[in-house]
Amino acid sequence: SQELEQSPQSLIVQEGKNLTINCTSSKTLYGLYWYKQKYGEGLIFLMMLQKGGEEKSHEKITAKLDEKKQQSSLHITASQPSHAGIYLCGADSNAGNMLTFGGGTRLMVKP
Amino acid sequence: GAGVSQSPSNKVTEKGKDVELRCDPISGHTALYWYRQSLGQGLEFLIYFQGNSAPDKSGLPSDRFSAERTGGSVSTLTIQRTQQEDSAVYLCASSPRRRETEAFFGQGTRLTVV
């Protein structure tokens, strides 16, 4: 089965700093999804990547899927307290029907 | 609203009781997923429905767990004889197709077994 590993597991940054979260798959990714979960709330879809080398941005958040389609990175520029939460990557398995998720990265932004 | 709706939002139940969790997917979405998020754990896949096909039940942790999807729309996840380890947030998601689109998640049902 496909496994996704996220790093780091937790991250504390000072407001205004940049940060990167990584998601590495044990198999080729056919669809990679980034979600954010605010504490105590549901999952919010951020973006989806499908093509190797693809890069998408939403406000100050940029995600990229590497050429080999086995790793994705999420980059936040000039972090704000509103960016705090748990970031989850999810992968669409070609063999199965379900999305597999990484363990999540817990982000705290200190004002 | 137009999103995935789950009910109840919170449920406290006594050990040994049965519980039913409900999911109303986005209208027209053919795929429906159930996930479980235990405290400090990642998301765990439970079951997947796609149209009229037989559901993928490979993620259900035991035979105490079952799910139905009536008329290709509303889904109910049933947990029989609940145990304390069943305590978790149960998330439902739906998507228009199995692939090439994102799944939209509900707010979840927080289940506490006491």
Side-chain angles (χ1 to χ4, degrees), chain A residues 57-75:
Chain A
S57 293
H58 175 68
E59 298 177 347
K60 293 184 178 179
I61 301 176
T62 301
K64 187 174 182 179
L65 183 62
D66 76 356
E67 293 287 346
K68 294 183 179 179
K69 296 176 68 176
Q70 285 197 256
Q71 186 176 48
S72 178
S73 58
L74 184 85
H75 186 75

Side-chain angles (χ1 to χ4, degrees), chain A residues 1-5 24-29 70:
Chain A
S1 62
Q2 184 165 36
E3 293 185 359
L4 293 178
E5 187 172 327
T24 303
S25 172
S26 59
K27 297 182 179 180
T28 300
L29 294 163
Q70 285 197 256

